[in-house]
Amino acid sequence: MNKIVILFCAVFLTELVNAAPSAPDSVFLFSYTSGAHNHSVGLQFAWSQNGEDWHLIGNDFGFVRSDYGRWGSEKKMYDPFLYRDRQAVWRCFWTLNDHDNVFAQASSNDLIQWGRQYYPETTLGKTVTVLAVRRETNNQYAIDYKDSAGEYFVASTSDFKTYNFKKSPIVADSRKEVSINGAVLRGQIHRVAWSEVNALLQHVEIVQARHKLYRENSSMYGTLFPDLKTVTGSISLEPNRRKEISDLLVGVFFEDINYAADGGLYAELIQNRDFEYSLSDREGRDKSWNAMHSWSSTGGVNVIIDTTHYIHINNKHHALVNVGSAGALRNTGFDGIVLRKGQTYEFSCFSKLMNGKVVQANVKLVRPNGEVLATQKLSVSTVKWKQQSLVLKATADEDKASFEIEFTTPGVVALDMISVFPQNTFKGRKNGLRADLANVIADLHPRFIRFPGGCVAHGDGVHNIYHWKNTIGPLEARKPQRNLWGYHQTAGLGYLEYFQFCEDVGAEPVPVVAAGVPCQNSVGGQQGGIPESEMDSYVQDILDLIEFANGDGKTTWGKKRIALGHPKPFNLKYIGIGNEDLITDVFEARFVKIHEAVKRKYPDITVIGTVGPFYQGTDYVEGWKLADQLRLEMVDEHYYESPGWFIYNQDFYDRYDRSKSKVYLGEYASHLPGRPNNLETALSEAIYLTALERNGDVVTMASYAPLLAKEGHTQWNPDMIYFNNQSVTTTPGYEVQRMFSVHGGNEYISSNTVIDHRDNAVMKRIGTSVVYDRKTGDVIIKVVNLLPVQCDLKINLNELLMGEVPAKLITLTGEPGEKNLRPQEKDIRLSRDRVYAFPPYSLSVIRYRTSVVNK
Ligand code: AHR
């Protein structure tokens, strides 16, 4: 059943049931949580006519779920208490955990769509259970609660946001026990209109029917399409119905997740070069993750980590190396160091004598068996920190080399920022990017690059927010920090390098900064926010970022950029404020402040707001409300969904109001169980991309996420590009992105696609779009066939082709589970009304030059 049919059924059923003369006026509604899924199921309902025989509303169906704390370990709801206030607004209170002095509250008019969640701090009582809510005066409510120590309190409020607390006498808990399907559940009983319960039942039905559609995948196609034979149809181009679309549609989302930066795109070969690794990077879970990680010493060399003689306060840890007799300090790189015969590697380090005696050493790149593949002499002779560098040339290939400083004379030296960098970086830049990886990204021809995240941008707690100023300037002065994905960020790949990369690949830079709040899933509780007293300085940092990117030599930050070797401005046009944040009052206050300041000083910069991590739900609704209120130019949407979702939601943006904010679809990807990136996921993204092209007047940019993943260090799947130290593997998803990026256009040409088949599941698996690229004068037709059978389409080019022309046909096809595929390109002759065969499971691009598109 398709979505339209479901909606039709739902409407029909509503009419039927509402109109049914036999329906009761009112029934009992039981509100409770069963504690299913480790207490994450949220608020559940059952209904009854007589208060004895109960019917579940959905099976384990949560109408509002807690969003407090970390994924996995938190986001739990205990003891919900539901109250209907004077304005008939439902207020739900619940207990969160046994360690934070907070409880939760959210409200709803219909028990289906819930507003922002509030987590007020209780100044009295711990692990609070709400027992009763009373209306004291017109607008004043008293919330009776008890705590885990059995003490009773009352909290008064008029807005359900701020509360006054005091002790109170014992209050009885009005919850009742009811038995449903053999389980005894504790909750409240309310008397409500049947229409309210009916609406809940219909909601569950629609959600479940949709989920059934969204779960469809190619493993079910035998049953879904048992007798399907070649599907036929036609595409008729309508050259007179054209519209301008974004020419920035396909770009990339870069985040330091899965070792994408350190150990990945950032070409540094020494791991923990600054001795700043710390147990806290991995929340204490890995005892070996300390300042000596990846380092060891041999022979008569003894190393301790010191923080007293630092080169820069941002980088306090350094090695104090005491050489008694011959021995070495060794680093194993990121899973070994890859060397290529004849290639040169720049060694550099800061060193300082600690006891006045000159120390001699050899720096070496060695094979696991000890064979030396490159060596140079190093002498430590200064009592002040001094940076030295040497060039090492590899005499052979090796995938698992390590780096050594072999000491040949005794003494005590301090060492820090020990680096080995390939000289062959992307575009030969110093402190640059790993060439093979950067080239694969450049081959995508991304129209924009978003950086530095993702969650990395807003960070794990206020102290982990990514501050761009900490990432520019001399490497030893940059501020390394914990990466919320469980490792370490050196900040070696910082804002200057990001901007430079954008420039090098011809992509618009799209930096995303925190909206003054960290990730809602932060360690130790809720979102929090930069204190009000520090917000002015934070806002100034964001203004300074724009000045750094665009300012001239007369501006403070423009001057800094010039001093860092980039005289030309980067021509920044977009800035993202926030990353899929929980839309709370804390968020809103900070976002509004930043937005106002940026627009006041830089009216031409497009501020991109954020509307939560999903395509629906509270943050999406609240984020859009705020966007409407502030008349934001653009919002950032995120969703990771199943292939079925992408197949059945091709009209998602067709429904968007053209007068509202534009959309940057900043993170999306198709997820199958097991999280592969295969042809099936890629084609579902392709079908969605045809819809994005059609909606290119609303959707300005879109980026698949995440971009990179290092084998063996992957926190998130699927990703677009996988790599290890030696090689880079692209995915079908990469090929799809590339085909849409390279074959993008700036005008959308309407077309009428007719599939000669009545089954919606068949029709939805054929996607088409036609764009015109003014720069080349090419018309580009894309056809996605996600069916297990061939699709023969007659392409009616109408006035867009007189006679016959040469064209290119590029096809990506294979079995749905295939992961290693490349598109095939061939020359074809294109004529006006011919039938073309599109293979099962394929994306095809037909591209030809025309002189008949007039402006
Ligand atoms: O893309 C991976 C993560 O997904 C991003 O960091 C975050 O924004 C989203 O939840």
Side-chain angles (χ1 to χ4, degrees), residues 253 255 257 454-456 485 579-580 613 638 640 667 705-706 716:
F253 159 97
E255 172 168 29
I257 181 173
C455 289
V456 157
W485 296 107
N579 173 61
E580 60 172 50
H638 294 181
Y640 297 92
E667 293 184 29
W716 183 289

Side-chain angles (χ1 to χ4, degrees), residues 523-535:
V523 64
Q526 207 37 46
Q527 192 180 47
I530 294 178
E532 287 288 359
S533 58
E534 292 167 29
M535 271 307 289

Side-chain angles (χ1 to χ4, degrees), residues 253-298:
F253 159 97
F254 181 90
E255 172 168 29
D256 187 4
I257 181 173
N258 309 320
Y259 276 44
D262 293 297
L265 187 60
Y266 183 54
E268 174 64 79
L269 295 169
I270 300 294
Q271 180 162 198
N272 190 18
R273 69 179 175 195
D274 52 8
F275 301 95
E276 295 296 328
Y277 276 27
S278 122
L279 287 177
S280 60
D281 291 342
R282 296 173 74 91
E283 297 177 86
R285 282 193 295 261
D286 178 355
K287 297 292 168 237
S288 74
W289 196 273
N290 55 40
M292 275 303 282
H293 189 278
S294 305
W295 294 100
S296 61
S297 61
T298 61

Side-chain angles (χ1 to χ4, degrees), residues 149-293:
E151 300 222 51
Y152 289 80
F153 305 93
V154 60
S156 334
T157 185
S158 54
D159 58 4
F160 294 93
K161 294 182 187 175
T162 48
Y163 297 80
N164 287 320
F165 300 92
K166 59 180 190 221
K167 283 199 73 132
S168 91
I170 294 183
V171 175
D173 188 346
S174 56
R175 289 177 180 82
K176 303 262 179 309
E177 281 188 349
V178 306
S179 174
I180 310 180
N181 297 345
V184 178
L185 300 161
R186 221 175 124 65
Q188 295 163 267
I189 298 175
H190 316 260
R191 187 88 199 169
V192 300
W194 166 249
S195 57
E196 290 182 86
V197 166
N198 195 37
L200 299 179
L201 288 166
Q202 283 166 21
H203 175 69
V204 172
E205 252 179 58
I206 292 172
V207 169
Q208 287 176 344
R210 280 184 183 159
H211 281 168
K212 194 161 171 232
L213 282 182
Y214 300 165
R215 276 196 301 270
E216 284 177 8
N217 63 51
S218 67
S219 71
M220 305 166 185
Y221 284 9
T223 333
L224 268 176
F225 308 115
D227 304 314
L228 194 64
K229 303 273 161 6
T230 299
V231 168
T232 57
S234 60
I235 316 176
S236 303
L237 274 57
E238 301 172 330
N240 295 329
R241 293 186 51 230
R242 305 206 309 258
K243 65 178 173 187
E244 192 81 18
I245 57 168
S246 166
D247 60 356
L248 293 181
L249 194 58
V250 181
V252 298
F253 159 97
F254 181 90
E255 172 168 29
D256 187 4
I257 181 173
N258 309 320
Y259 276 44
D262 293 297
L265 187 60
Y266 183 54
E268 174 64 79
L269 295 169
I270 300 294
Q271 180 162 198
N272 190 18
R273 69 179 175 195
D274 52 8
F275 301 95
E276 295 296 328
Y277 276 27
S278 122
L279 287 177
S280 60
D281 291 342
R282 296 173 74 91
E283 297 177 86
R285 282 193 295 261
D286 178 355
K287 297 292 168 237
S288 74
W289 196 273
N290 55 40
M292 275 303 282
H293 189 278

